[in-house]
């Protein structure tokens, strides 16, 4: 904790402002005031950072490195103030200087170096590792441009580049003296020296990797861990610009740009793989730089390379950082001169892997030719790994050639990253119980049979510090006033809130807080989207990436059906609702972009129809990101988690919503199942096909969507309206959605689940009418959300996978 009183904080702030800007505080603008505040906080943090690093360097405690292509951090100032315990002092001190803290906080550009759930999980994990006093650091890429900004123009998504570093970044520290060289291309020279094969990488293109470190502040424990992000630069002039020495200045600049392009931009596809060479470069770039610097640091502080696996755990977030496995092998064998078998034991004991999806289109497979020419030595190592592994398979599965070829790391002209990740790590985990079961029984069943002990489940979590304490201070205060503040360090203590749910005055407060949060959201909607919504209506929210499997289209069809029934029967007794959507579509994903357009077309039609627009409204909020999520989620009544069962590995927004007292309408998919188990059937509304039913349809067929289209009059009406011109003058606008549903047999079972979804929504209406009942449901959700804190998840990773000591006490 930082111990500082208001008066000295004020003084320190004024000094910091002067030091940074050289002008009087009164003359400064808000951006300058923000920079001074962030600078001051960073000073406090730096002292603890140094202390943590010193402790780590000599404690001999196991260090965890979380490798991820994405870290969706959001804003960092509010987080730091909260975790340092000085938010109130800061707010009061600034307000005496007539500076509103929230305004400064809102000036900070979101650090959006991720697409969605996977990147946000990495960010929540960093917060939990620091707060649990686990020496755990992030390793990733410092993209110059993060996830694109979404604008909606004429109802369509337009992508604008995310120039997040334009105003500088107060939280990062460039560490030029800790740079590494990453080698691409060239050839491998093989020699036989002193009875040993040696491998020398020659004629390669060197790329300079510069680390930028961001402090990760633990909650109330003086721990500051590190997120290290790598940036690509051309190696300095005299070395490799020599080839341009005849004065070809423009060529030199071109070369420099081509190198820097490696860390230029985040790929905006979520759960989708495109075999782009730049992406493979990005992966090897940050993995190689990260592994080299970890081993360099380890040796510098006296580490014995043969004990690497006892002192270091490397976790790979999905297959994107899988090259960590051959990269460690390269260093151990080529540079440290270890025997292959010893190196392999150390490598596999060091690395653990999380699988995030079973969607086939997300599986990474690199063409051999591309892989080999970009990473010649790494390719040789992967070949050797594969050769030895296939020998093991031949012994184990004699004569089963098909199986062996299915399980091979290199096959069909491709390098299969998931296979390499499974073979080269000691732990493979799924992210929710159902997901892990599907991995074991179906998707990876061959591997599970071979390595049953590697497979385990770690259900995802979210940091309650950002998603409750920071985003919902009013609810946090009610919880503190009732159950005390032990839940902050022990989130399952939220259970204690249950006994207050028979107290009408508490329920009353709960619903008042929800209303206030809805009013705040309503004013953001008015400001951003120019749509007036009624905070007394049900706020029915689906915010997440736009994806066919997440089924925003199911939600759309049900809204269209509700609209029909209100036109048919103006006296129909329904609760008024505001349907809120937000989410980005990958720029090349036609169906997802078309879905956004459909939502906006429905919104335009319904919001302008005076027969219904006092009962229902539809809003699409632009540019979904972490900061917008922090505003939307506390103001939500109903959380839509309606993916096709088996497709959503876990989901994490489902957890954020329940923690903020929303009721969930859900399929039995991902972590929704575990949420249901926690809150019991009374406090969640479930609908749709079960996993077994979905898997059986995929396996044996038997689903015919046109039968439903032809037999359910409501379905026929709403599906026909996709192409009737009712929602868009261009009748063909949503033709492909129509075709997918009716003529291509509805891969995601939208029509199949339609009826049960409508019934579930009617049940929501009925439950909402009984105010006390509804408030109790909200309270039950809050009370059972503690288990979904990422503190629980990280403790399970630490003890079950990483073998790190979990020490809660302060330094
Ligand atoms: C939590 C979160 C996600 C993940 O949402 P799901 O509904 O679990 O897919 C995506 N984007 C942002 C900004 C988030 O905060």
């Amino acid at each position: 904790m930082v111990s500082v009183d208001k008066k000295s904080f004020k003084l320190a702030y004024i000094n910091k402002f002067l030091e940074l800007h050289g002008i009087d505080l009164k003359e400064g603008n808000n951006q300058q005031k923000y920079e001074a505040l962030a600078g001051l906080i960073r000073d406090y943090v730096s002292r603890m950072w140094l202390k943590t690093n010193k402790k780590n360097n000599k404690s001999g405690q196991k260090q965890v490195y979380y490798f991820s292509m994405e870290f969706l951090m959001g804003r960092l100032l509010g987080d730091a103030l909260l975790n340092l315990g000085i938010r109130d002092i800061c707010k009061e001190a600034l307000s005496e200087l007539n500076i509103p803290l929230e305004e400064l906080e809102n000036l900070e550009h979101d650090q959006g170096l991720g697409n969605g759930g996977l990147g946000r999980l990495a960010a929540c994990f960093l917060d939990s590792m620091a707060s649990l006093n686990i020496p755990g650091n992030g390793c990733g890429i410092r993209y110059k441009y993060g996830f694109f900004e979404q604008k909606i123009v004429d109802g369509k998504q337009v992508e604008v580049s995310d120039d997040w570093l334009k105003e500088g970044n107060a939280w990062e520290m460039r560490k030029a003296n800790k740079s590494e060289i990453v080698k691409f291309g060239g050839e491998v020279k093989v020699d036989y020296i002193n009875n040993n094969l040696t491998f020398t990488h020659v004629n390669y293109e060197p790329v300079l990797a510069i680390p930028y470190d961001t402090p990760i502040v633990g909650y109330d424990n003086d721990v500051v861990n590190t997120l290290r992000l790598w940036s690509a630069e051309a190696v300095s002039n005299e070395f490799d610009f020599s080839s341009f020495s005849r004065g070809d200045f423009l060529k030199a600049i071109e070369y420099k740009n081509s190198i820097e392009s490696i860390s230029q931009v985040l790929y905006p596809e979520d759960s989708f793989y495109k075999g782009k060479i730049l992406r493979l470069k990005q992966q090897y770039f940050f993995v190689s730089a990260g592994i080299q610097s970890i081993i360099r640091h380890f040796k510098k502080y006296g580490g014995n390379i043969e004990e690497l696996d006892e002192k270091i755990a490397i976790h790979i977030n999905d297959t994107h950082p899988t090259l960590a496995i051959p990269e460690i092998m390269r260093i151990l064998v080529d540079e440290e001169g270890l025997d292959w078998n010893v190196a392999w034991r150390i490598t596999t004991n060091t690395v653990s892997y999380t699988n995030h999806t079973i969607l086939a289109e997300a599986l990474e497979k690199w063409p051999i030719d591309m892989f080999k020419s970009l990473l010649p030595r790494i390719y040789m190592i992967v070949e050797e790994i594969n050769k030895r592994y296939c020998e093991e398979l031949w012994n184990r599965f004699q004569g089963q050639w098909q199986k062996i070829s299915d399980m091979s790391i290199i096959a069909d002209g491709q390098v299969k990253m998931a296979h390499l990740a499974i073979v080269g790590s000691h732990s493979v985990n799924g992210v929710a119980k159902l997901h892990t079961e599907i991995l074991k029984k179906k998707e990876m069943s061959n591997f599970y049979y071979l390595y049953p002990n590697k497979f385990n489940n770690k259900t995802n979590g979210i940091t309650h510090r950002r998603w409750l304490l920071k985003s919902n201070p009013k609810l946090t205060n009610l919880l503190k006033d009732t159950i005390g503040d032990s839940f902050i360090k022990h989130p399952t203590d939220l259970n204690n809130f249950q006994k207050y749910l028979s107290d009408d005055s508490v329920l009353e407060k709960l619903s008042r807080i929800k209303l206030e949060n809805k009013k705040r959201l309503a004013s953001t909607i008015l400001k951003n989207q120019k749509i007036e919504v009624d905070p007394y209506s049900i706020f029915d929210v689906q915010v997440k990436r736009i994806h066919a499997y997440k089924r925003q289209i199911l939600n759309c069809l049900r809204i269209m059906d509700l609209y029909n029934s209100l036109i048919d029967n103006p006296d129909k007794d329904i609760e008024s609702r505001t349907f809120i959507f937000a989410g980005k579509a990958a720029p090349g994903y036609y169906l997802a972009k078309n879905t956004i357009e459909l939502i906006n077309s429905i919104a335009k039609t319904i919001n302008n129809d005076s027969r219904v627009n006092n009962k229902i409204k539809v809003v699409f909020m632009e540019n979904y990101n972490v900061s917008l999520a922090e505003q939307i989620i506390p103001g939500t009544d109903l959380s839509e988690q309606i993916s096709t069962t088996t497709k959503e590995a876990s989901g994490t927004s489902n957890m954020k919503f329940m923690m903020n007292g929303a009721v969930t309408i859900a399929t039995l998919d991902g972590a929704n199942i575990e949420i249901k188990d926690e809150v019991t059937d009374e406090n969640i509304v479930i609908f749709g096909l079960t996993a077994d039913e979905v898997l059986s349809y995929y396996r044996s067929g038997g689903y015919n969507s046109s039968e439903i289209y032809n037999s359910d009059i409501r379905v026929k009406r709403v599906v026909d309206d996709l192409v009737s011109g009712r929602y868009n003058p261009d009748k063909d606008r949503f033709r492909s959605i129509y075709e997918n549903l009716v003529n291509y047999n509805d891969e995601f079972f939208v029509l199949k689940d339609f009826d049960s979804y409508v019934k579930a929504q009617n049940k929501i209406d009925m439950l909402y009418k009984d105010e006390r009942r509804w408030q109790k449901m909200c309270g039950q959700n809050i009370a059972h959300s503690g288990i979904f804190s990422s503190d629980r998840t990280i403790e399970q990773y630490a003890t079950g996978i990483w073998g790190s000591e979990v020490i809660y006490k302060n330094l």
Side-chain angles (χ1 to χ4, degrees):
M1 284 306 237
V2 173
S3 64
V4 59
D5 60 25
K6 193 168 61 181
K7 198 165 147 226
S8 34
F9 187 90
K10 219 161 97 176
L11 204 67
Y13 178 70
I14 292 168
N15 283 333
K16 190 75 198 175
F17 188 92
L18 179 66
E19 177 199 320
L20 269 184
H21 302 300
I23 54 170
D24 210 43
L25 183 57
K26 282 196 288 290
E27 299 161 36
N29 63 27
N30 272 355
Q31 176 64 28
Q32 291 168 320
K33 289 174 188 169
Y34 160 76
E35 285 164 15
L37 180 58
L40 176 61
I41 301 307
R42 202 184 51 200
D43 291 345
Y44 291 131
V45 167
S46 294
R47 280 172 232 140
M48 298 180 190
W49 206 359
L50 181 69
K51 212 165 112 189
T52 304
N53 284 333
K54 279 190 172 159
K55 184 212 76 169
N56 287 341
N57 290 339
K58 61 170 194 231
S59 74
Q61 239 185 308
K62 197 165 193 176
Q63 305 287 309
V64 177
Y65 296 91
Y66 195 84
F67 277 59
S68 179
M69 196 97 179
E70 305 188 4
F71 288 92
L72 191 50
M73 303 293 285
R75 294 181 178 133
L76 301 182
L77 176 60
D79 219 35
L81 289 173
L82 178 86
N83 285 3
L84 293 171
I86 54 172
R87 189 158 202 283
D88 292 342
I89 281 172
C90 171
K91 192 177 157 103
E92 287 163 26
L94 290 181
S95 103
E96 287 178 11
L97 296 165
N98 283 322
I99 302 171
L101 173 60
E102 280 89 0
E103 270 181 40
L104 299 195
E105 285 182 310
N106 291 340
L107 282 179
E108 182 173 344
H109 199 104
D110 262 53
Q111 187 161 327
L113 307 185
N115 273 286
L118 175 146
R120 185 53 232 174
L121 185 78
C124 284
F125 281 5
L126 293 182
D127 184 70
S128 284
M129 287 193 287
S131 295
L132 294 182
N133 192 4
I134 291 169
N137 308 293
C139 180
I141 298 174
R142 180 182 180 268
Y143 301 104
K144 181 151 183 246
Y145 297 96
F147 193 20
F148 68 81
E149 268 180 50
Q150 178 192 58
K151 297 252 185 287
I152 301 296
V153 179
D154 294 334
K156 302 186 203 31
Q157 168 175 295
V158 173
E159 301 91 21
V160 179
S161 68
D162 170 42
D163 196 0
W164 70 290
L165 292 164
K166 192 170 50 190
E167 315 271 5
N169 173 4
W171 305 108
E172 67 182 12
M173 273 191 201
R174 182 183 161 96
K175 298 271 173 73
N177 61 332
K178 302 226 164 125
S179 63
E180 298 288 347
I181 299 279
V182 179
K183 302 172 181 176
F184 291 102
E187 301 100 45
V188 178
K189 214 157 84 28
V190 184
D191 294 302
Y192 198 69
I193 304 174
N194 302 335
N195 289 331
N196 268 321
L197 275 179
T198 64
F199 301 88
T200 319
H201 194 172
V202 295
N203 298 329
Y204 56 82
E205 180 164 79
V207 173
L208 191 63
I210 308 264
Y212 287 73
D213 287 355
T214 297
I216 306 295
V217 182
Y219 182 83
D220 185 26
N221 65 358
D222 289 9
V223 172
V224 178
N225 286 343
T226 302
L227 167 59
R228 174 162 284 186
L229 300 177
W230 297 91
S231 177
E233 293 186 13
V235 178
S236 71
N237 284 329
E238 56 272 41
F239 179 29
D240 99 306
F241 276 33
S242 56
S243 52
F244 307 114
S245 59
R246 283 177 299 280
D248 201 343
F249 176 70
L250 288 179
K251 272 228 170 70
I253 296 291
E254 262 174 41
Y255 174 74
K256 185 169 173 294
N257 286 342
S258 80
I259 295 292
E260 288 171 3
S261 72
I262 294 173
S263 55
Q264 191 79 357
V265 62
L266 167 79
Y267 276 95
E269 282 88 17
D270 189 52
S271 308
F272 188 79
Y273 159 78
K274 270 201 304 212
K276 285 270 163 52
I277 191 164
L278 183 59
R279 170 95 174 172
L280 183 60
K281 269 192 186 172
Q282 290 186 333
Q283 296 186 348
Y284 184 65
F285 168 73
F286 93 95
V287 160
S288 174
I291 299 289
Q292 288 186 67
S293 87
I294 289 165
I295 294 183
R296 191 182 311 286
H297 185 84
F298 174 72
K299 287 174 68 178
K300 179 173 161 192
Y301 286 91
N304 172 359
I305 198 74
E306 299 201 28
E307 291 168 2
L308 189 76
D309 54 324
E310 288 164 39
K311 298 295 176 190
I312 283 174
I314 288 174
H315 198 89
I316 58 178
N317 195 23
D318 214 317
T319 55
H320 319 143
T322 301
L323 294 173
I325 292 161
E327 179 67 3
I328 299 173
M329 286 300 287
R330 183 187 69 77
I331 294 176
L332 295 186
V333 173
D334 292 1
E335 295 183 6
E336 299 295 330
L338 294 190
D339 172 72
W340 180 280
N341 289 321
V342 174
W344 184 244
R345 176 185 55 75
I346 295 171
T347 301
T348 51
N349 282 341
T350 302
V351 178
S352 47
Y353 153 61
T354 296
N355 173 282
H356 278 271
T357 177
I358 57 165
L359 296 181
E361 62 268 31
L363 287 184
E364 294 194 295
K365 299 173 207 144
W366 296 106
I368 287 178
D369 294 344
M370 185 197 286
F371 194 114
K372 201 171 170 176
S373 61
L374 187 68
L375 308 168
R377 178 58 186 144
I378 293 298
Y379 183 72
M380 289 171 80
I381 292 171
V382 174
E383 266 188 322
E384 184 66 24
I385 292 171
N386 192 46
K387 188 178 133 249
R388 290 164 186 247
Y389 159 67
C390 285
E391 277 164 15
E392 188 186 333
L393 294 180
W394 287 324
N395 290 331
R396 192 68 196 268
F397 305 115
Q398 282 184 13
Q400 300 183 50
W401 301 111
Q402 188 57 47
K403 186 177 197 139
I404 293 168
S405 122
D406 287 348
M407 294 176 77
S408 179
I409 296 167
I410 303 174
D412 320 319
Q414 294 170 320
V415 183
K416 299 181 177 175
M417 301 302 264
H419 297 191
L420 180 56
I422 298 169
V423 174
S425 63
H426 64 93
S427 167
V428 178
N429 75 281
V431 292
K433 283 178 189 164
L434 174 68
H435 170 61
T436 302
E437 284 311 302
I438 293 173
L439 289 182
K440 293 203 287 196
K441 302 229 167 80
K442 190 166 173 286
E443 232 58 38
M444 297 180 167
S445 59
N446 285 339
F447 293 95
Y448 178 54
Y449 183 77
L450 186 64
Y451 307 122
N453 298 327
K454 283 194 189 185
F455 284 77
N456 64 92
N457 176 246
K458 297 288 172 279
T459 299
N460 281 167
I462 53 160
T463 168
H464 58 290
R465 286 166 291 275
R466 179 177 292 261
W467 296 109
L468 176 58
L469 308 198
K470 175 167 182 272
S471 66
N472 202 341
K474 293 187 173 103
L475 177 56
T476 303
N477 285 335
L478 174 64
L479 291 166
K480 284 183 188 165
D481 290 346
T482 49
I483 63 175
D485 59 11
S486 71
F487 73 94
I488 298 176
K489 291 205 176 169
H490 305 280
T492 47
D493 284 358
L494 283 169
N495 266 310
N496 296 332
F497 194 50
Q498 257 193 93
K499 44 179 183 291
Y500 291 88
L501 299 179
S502 44
D503 180 341
D504 279 356
S505 75
V506 170
L507 293 182
E508 187 51 46
K509 283 180 190 148
L510 200 56
S511 92
R512 208 159 48 223
I513 289 165
K514 182 63 77 182
L515 181 63
E516 285 166 16
N517 288 330
K518 286 166 75 176
K519 285 181 175 167
R520 181 177 72 148
L521 176 54
S523 72
T524 304
I525 291 172
L526 184 60
K527 192 171 113 233
N528 295 1
Q529 310 314 137
K530 313 280 179 283
I531 297 173
E532 207 173 325
V533 301
D534 174 11
Y536 293 89
S537 64
I538 298 178
F539 278 17
D540 176 333
V541 176
Q542 187 174 18
V543 291
K544 48 184 75 250
R545 287 302 293 262
I546 313 293
H547 224 296
Y549 84 83
K550 289 175 183 281
R551 297 201 296 191
Q552 279 90 0
I553 287 171
L554 176 59
N555 196 344
C556 287
L557 296 183
R558 127 87 186 161
I559 295 169
M560 291 159 74
D561 178 57
L562 180 65
Y563 179 37
N564 284 340
S565 63
L566 285 174
I567 299 290
D568 293 351
N569 178 5
D571 298 326
K572 187 178 160 87
D573 179 28
I574 64 152
E575 291 300 314
S576 58
R577 283 207 204 202
T578 303
F579 297 94
I580 298 167
F581 292 86
K584 293 175 188 172
Y589 187 176
Y590 176 78
L591 186 85
K593 293 182 103 170
N594 202 224
T595 301
I596 292 177
E597 225 183 315
L598 175 62
I599 295 166
N600 282 310
S601 294
I602 295 171
K604 197 166 162 192
T605 307
I606 289 180
N607 299 350
N608 289 308
D609 187 337
S610 59
R611 294 170 297 178
V612 299
N613 66 8
N614 59 343
K615 284 189 180 153
I616 55 174
K617 281 248 171 87
V618 181
V619 178
F620 187 93
M621 295 186 79
E622 219 168 42
N623 199 36
Y624 187 55
N625 62 15
V626 170
S627 291
L628 189 61
E630 287 172 36
Q631 279 209 50
I632 294 174
I633 291 168
T636 295
D637 296 304
L638 183 63
S639 159
E640 298 272 353
Q641 307 299 337
I642 61 176
S643 54
T644 306
T645 305
T646 72
K647 299 281 181 187
E648 186 77 271
S650 160
T652 47
S653 76
N654 44 5
M655 303 167 185
K656 300 169 196 164
F657 282 109
M658 87 181 286
M659 195 175 272
N660 283 276
V663 171
T664 306
I665 182 166
T667 50
L668 284 176
D669 198 17
N672 300 343
I673 298 171
E674 289 156 76
I675 291 176
K676 178 191 77 101
D677 290 346
E678 289 296 321
V679 301
T680 73
D681 294 336
E682 273 70 66
N683 297 301
I684 188 168
V685 176
I686 298 292
F687 73 97
L689 292 172
T690 64
D692 286 341
E693 288 166 331
V694 168
L695 292 175
S696 151
Y697 278 129
Y698 282 133
R699 199 170 45 237
S700 325
Y703 173 51
N704 184 347
S705 69
S706 61
E707 268 171 23
I708 298 178
Y709 168 78
N710 286 311
S711 64
D712 187 331
I713 179 76
R714 300 163 307 171
V715 170
K716 182 160 192 331
R717 235 175 123 184
V718 293
V719 171
D720 284 347
D721 267 340
L722 290 171
V723 292
S724 71
R726 184 177 184 191
Y727 291 97
N728 198 304
D730 174 3
K731 289 186 181 178
D732 287 329
R733 209 56 230 155
F734 308 119
R735 171 79 52 190
S736 59
I737 297 178
Y738 173 94
E739 298 288 339
N740 277 325
L741 293 173
V742 182
N743 296 331
Y744 297 111
N745 208 29
D746 182 19
E747 186 187 346
F748 296 97
F749 303 102
V750 173
L751 303 190
K752 181 78 190 167
D753 278 346
F754 178 83
D755 179 60
S756 120
Y757 183 51
V758 171
K759 290 195 174 106
Q761 289 287 14
N762 292 339
K763 183 171 173 191
I764 292 287
D765 257 31
M766 186 216 35
L767 293 166
Y768 192 81
K769 279 195 173 69
D770 182 349
E771 262 181 62
R772 278 288 169 274
R773 167 91 196 271
W774 183 266
Q775 287 155 9
K776 270 191 189 166
M777 289 176 73
C778 297
Q780 288 287 357
N781 273 274
I782 297 165
H784 289 96
S785 67
I787 189 109
F788 297 107
S789 165
S790 46
D791 288 5
R792 183 269 310 152
T793 315
I794 282 298
E795 197 175 330
Q796 292 175 336
Y797 275 89
T799 56
I801 298 178
W802 302 329
S804 32
E805 302 161 59
V806 181
I807 306 171
Y808 293 95
K809 66 181 192 329
N810 295 357
L811 286 177

